[in-house]
């Protein structure tokens, strides 16, 4: 039986930051489940960088079904956690069921991959204190306020925590995460 990986997300998550790890981890042989506040079809977004804009733009993205509701997740059944970015982490960080899930992964030192705005969620469970991380660069003050050392790099590995800035860093992010994951929970 393949080890299970949990992706936690919701509406307005960045399409690429959900679907790239979902497909890449399945390609490696892991079983991947997407958890959300409720089982429904999620509506993702596409963030892009356009000339003349001070920040990214947002457009409607793909839709994708959630496999399980946060309230139904048993973190003990999962080998690792993936936290995509987009706007979803901003509102999801207040969900008490999700915070219990995320805290469980940190308490048991299981691999966690976070990208873009995903670290807002890990910060909400005090999972960043004393760690080295990256995130979407505009979150540098948030990362520092959470007690982390911010590094502006494609991927930052601190123990079992692997973080990246945004979807252009996918290759480095997944390469580093898979190195950690294979060491902790290889597919056999």
């Amino acid at each position: 039986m393949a080890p299970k990986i949990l992706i936690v997300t919701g509406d307005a998550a960045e399409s690429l930051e959900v679907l790239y790890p979902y497909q890449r981890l399945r390609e490696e042989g892991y079983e991947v489940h997407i958890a959300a506040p409720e089982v429904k079809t999620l509506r993702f977004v596409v963030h892009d960088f356009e000339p003349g804009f001070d920040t990214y733009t947002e457009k409607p993205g793909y839709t994708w079904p959630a496999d399980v509701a946060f309230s139904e997740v048993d973190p003990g059944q999962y080998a690792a956690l993936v936290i995509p970015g987009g706007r979803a982490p901003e509102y999801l960080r207040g969900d008490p069921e999700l915070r219990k899930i995320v805290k469980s992964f940190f308490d048991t030192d299981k691999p966690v991959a976070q990208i873009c705005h995903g670290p807002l969620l890990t910060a909400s469970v005090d999972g960043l204190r004393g760690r080295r991380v990256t995130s979407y660069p505009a979150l540098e003050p948030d990362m520092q306020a959470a007690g982390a050392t911010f590094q502006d790099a494609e991927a930052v590995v601190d123990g079992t925590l692997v973080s990246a800035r945004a979807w252009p860093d996918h290759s480095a992010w997944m390469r580093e995460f898979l190195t950690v994951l294979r060491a902790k929970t290889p597919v056999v």
Side-chain angles (χ1 to χ4, degrees):
M1 194 151 179
K4 296 179 190 174
I5 310 296
L6 184 66
I7 297 177
V8 292
T9 195
D11 289 326
E14 164 56 53
S15 291
L16 290 173
E17 293 172 2
V18 176
L19 296 176
Y20 181 80
Y22 177 82
Q23 293 171 340
R24 183 66 190 91
L25 292 165
R26 287 175 45 117
E27 180 181 53
E28 282 291 312
Y30 291 95
E31 183 178 336
V32 184
H33 297 165
I34 295 178
E38 61 183 282
V39 176
K40 69 173 195 167
T41 299
L42 298 168
R43 297 166 194 257
F44 301 143
V45 297
V46 173
H47 291 129
D48 206 354
F49 305 96
E50 297 190 25
F53 279 75
D54 292 332
T55 188
Y56 53 85
T57 62
E58 183 174 283
K59 300 168 184 79
Y62 293 106
T63 60
W64 200 265
D67 299 303
V68 63
F70 295 149
S71 62
E72 300 167 342
V73 170
D74 174 3
Q77 299 297 309
Y78 294 92
L81 178 67
V82 177
I83 306 172
R87 284 186 294 116
E90 182 181 341
Y91 73 88
L92 291 176
R93 64 185 164 172
D95 186 302
E97 292 295 328
L98 179 54
R99 292 202 337 232
K100 284 190 266 184
I101 293 166
V102 174
K103 185 167 179 354
S104 173
F105 281 89
F106 281 92
D107 289 349
T108 55
D109 198 34
K110 290 182 180 177
V112 174
Q114 61 183 10
I115 190 167
C116 195
H117 285 71
L120 291 173
L121 184 52
T122 54
S124 75
V125 299
D126 200 30
L128 302 181
R129 188 166 311 285
R131 300 194 91 149
R132 292 175 298 105
V133 300
T134 194
S135 65
Y136 189 70
L139 297 185
E140 180 177 356
D142 300 275
M143 299 300 95
Q144 292 169 340
T149 300
F150 178 84
Q151 296 180 331
D152 188 8
E154 281 185 319
V156 174
V157 180
D158 187 315
T160 56
L161 177 63
V162 181
S163 53
R165 295 174 299 198
W167 60 261
D169 297 334
H170 274 162
S171 297
W173 179 50
M174 278 292 109
R175 184 172 42 255
E176 295 296 342
F177 184 59
L178 283 166
T179 298
V180 170
L181 193 53
R182 288 176 188 134
K184 290 283 264 184
T185 312
V187 174
V188 287

